Amino acid sequence: MNQQFSVAAPVAEDSGVRPMPYRSWVEVSRAQIASNFCSIRDAVGPGVEVMPVVKADAYRHGAVEVSRTLEAQGARWFAVSNTDEGIALRESGIHARILVMADFLPFTRSAMLAHNLTPVIHSLPALAELNALAGSQNRSVKCHLKIDTGMGRLGVRAPASEIAEAILASPNVEVEGLMTHFASAANYQTGQTESQMALFEATADFLFAAGIRPALLHLSSSIPVAYSRRAAWRGMVRPGHAIYGYVSPVRGHAPARSIRVKPALSWRATVLSVKDLPAGALVGYGGMFRTPTAMRLAVLAAGYADGIPHRLSNRGSVIVKGKMAPIVGAVSMDLTSIDVTNCPATDVGDAVTLLGTDGDVTIDAQDIAKTAGTISYSVLCGIHARVKRVYI
Ligand SMILES: *Cc1c(COP(=O)(O)O)cnc(C)c1O
């Protein structure tokens, strides 16, 4: 129509989403990450150290950038999963303490110590092995000892007396931290968290009485922080999800939330093709979708290889120019088809929002998780490394 008169108008007048020269990309707001961290720090107060969890490349937000941003905000500790993740931070100039929560495999130990990473020790034999390794290097090594208080995954399950004995028999190791992890922090209908806390406190008391006084006791990931479970904060908290702007909903009655956080990541994809299909046409693998009427479809340059859950086939939605557009047919490896019949101006090169806000519409990782039958953590961590990352 009068397209030729609109050249001076902003590219995407009805949409704050700007195209980028990428098939698919995430936009990460450093300011939002910093703000989430500060909200958590304010909530727990000055007596409690906040150790952001930046494992899995900071839940795909980019561990190096996130850690730099938070170090500039005063973070003195970071938690990662494994030695490689810790080394990547050291090599990019992170000076803060780094706790390695799920490693101490025999083939990573010496690199861990060489890069000044702090291991979490989760068995008594491993404690003895760390003691021997430290002794062989004529040095003392700090570690955090993880107690299995009921999670039934990593952690020492031995009686407190055996733990005390093992620590006292390891003079080259300084148990600087004592930690545990909750299995059901989001469930206020069970007493599992309370019983885990009780066992942790009893173990800590026993060790204290035996003269073993770890400086840092820590139990809490995001949920016990967000819902003000103060008795579980002790000297340090380990939020991950909340740093990225998410707090999972809880079951049962929880206290009011004590933090204000917002998602820091948006995920977009570029429209690769737009075309009209007649009524009755099949779309994609398996002919999973048949057009009920004539439809305009757009094909996005992103698929399950980028992290769009295959389970969103025929059920998820994306946002196009501020409007929801349903995913039609099977999500394929590199492509996803959407229905843009209600958004006929959609064009090749436009940016659509897979996760994030466009205009008045928002889809977050929890929405996607619900539709895909998974959890928001998995949606975020599923964003593939080939998806470009842009910091805003
Ligand atoms: C991943 C992890 C956390 C962070 O959990 P969130 O729910 O993301 O806050 C804390 N502690 C341990 C041991 C973890 O593995």
Side-chain angles (χ1 to χ4, degrees):
M1 312 177 306
N2 54 355
Q3 201 117 1
Q4 70 261 40
F5 301 114
S6 65
V7 283
V11 180
E13 209 176 8
D14 51 349
S15 160
V17 176
R18 263 190 239 134
M20 293 277 233
Y22 306 124
R23 297 174 65 85
S24 178
W25 69 97
V26 293
E27 296 163 6
V28 178
S29 165
R30 293 188 186 96
Q32 190 60 54
I33 300 258
S35 156
N36 294 342
F37 171 73
C38 292
S39 173
I40 294 165
R41 192 169 52 186
D42 290 350
V44 298
V48 180
E49 189 78 41
V50 177
M51 174 168 64
V53 176
V54 296
K55 66 193 180 192
D57 206 13
Y59 298 32
R60 300 298 306 143
H61 294 63
V64 168
E65 283 297 329
V66 167
S67 302
R68 281 186 182 146
T69 301
L70 296 182
E71 201 168 52
Q73 295 293 322
R76 288 177 293 200
W77 283 86
F78 294 105
V80 297
S81 173
N82 59 60
T83 301
D84 283 350
E85 292 178 345
I87 291 174
L89 294 185
R90 284 282 176 257
E91 288 182 342
S92 54
I94 297 297
H95 296 294
R97 297 288 303 278
I98 298 175
L99 188 69
V100 180
M101 297 194 298
D103 200 336
F104 209 61
L105 283 161
F107 49 85
T108 64
R109 290 172 188 174
S110 52
M112 198 182 288
L113 301 192
H115 288 85
N116 191 26
L117 309 175
T118 305
V120 169
I121 296 299
H122 33 76
S123 77
L124 296 184
L127 184 65
E129 287 160 26
L130 179 61
N131 183 60
L133 180 59
S136 74
Q137 298 182 0
N138 287 313
R139 58 185 282 204
S140 168
V141 171
K142 290 178 177 165
C143 79
H144 290 212
L145 185 65
K146 188 171 195 175
I147 309 296
D148 177 5
T149 54
M151 173 81 168
R153 199 180 57 178
L154 287 181
V156 179
R157 234 181 145 103
S161 56
E162 280 176 35
I163 297 172
E165 226 170 89
I167 294 172
L168 294 172
S170 302
N172 306 319
V173 177
E174 181 194 333
V175 179
E176 175 190 32
L178 193 70
M179 65 185 282
T180 194
H181 194 47
F182 297 133
S184 303
N187 190 344
Y188 280 79
Q189 293 170 334
T190 82
Q192 193 178 6
T193 303
E194 283 75 10
S195 63
Q196 288 195 252
M197 286 168 67
L199 180 50
F200 184 78
E201 294 301 334
T203 308
D205 287 349
F206 188 97
L207 297 184
F208 268 57
I212 299 159
R213 304 201 161 128
L216 293 165
L217 303 187
H218 50 108
L219 314 85
S220 296
S221 59
S222 293
I223 288 175
V225 175
Y227 294 97
S228 316
R229 204 187 274 274
R230 287 169 202 282
W233 292 351
R234 302 302 311 250
M236 181 185 246
V237 293
R238 309 185 302 262
H241 217 210
I243 293 285
Y244 309 107
Y246 287 91
V247 175
S248 301
V250 295
R251 279 202 204 169
H253 293 290
R257 282 195 201 177
S258 60
I259 59 172
R260 286 174 56 103
V261 296
K262 285 204 303 203
L265 177 148
S266 306
W267 185 10
R268 326 267 189 207
T270 298
V271 173
L272 181 64
S273 161
V274 177
K275 73 174 163 197
D276 294 313
L277 288 184
L282 296 175
V283 177
Y285 285 119
M288 201 186 266
F289 182 80
R290 185 189 292 273
T291 55
T293 56
M295 281 176 108
R296 177 162 294 182
L297 299 191
V299 181
L300 307 181
Y304 61 75
D306 300 281
I308 301 177
H310 184 262
R311 295 277 301 273
L312 293 185
S313 299
N314 256 345
R315 32 201 324 214
S317 292
V318 304
I319 314 171
V320 181
K321 298 183 193 296
K323 286 191 213 157
M324 285 287 194
I327 292 174
V328 293
V331 172
S332 42
M333 190 182 292
D334 309 301
L335 302 170
T336 300
S337 295
I338 58 171
D339 172 11
V340 292
T341 312
N342 293 326
C343 216
T346 305
D347 209 349
V348 172
D350 284 353
V352 313
T353 300
L354 306 172
L355 188 170
T357 298
D358 176 4
D360 299 329
V361 185
T362 297
I363 298 173
D364 69 18
Q366 286 164 343
D367 299 324
I368 294 173
K370 209 176 284 173
T371 312
T374 180
I375 57 173
S376 51
Y377 294 73
S378 172
V379 171
L380 292 173
C381 292
I383 300 173
H384 195 269
R386 80 177 187 183
V387 174
K388 292 280 189 287
R389 220 186 264 126
V390 180
Y391 290 93
I392 55 171

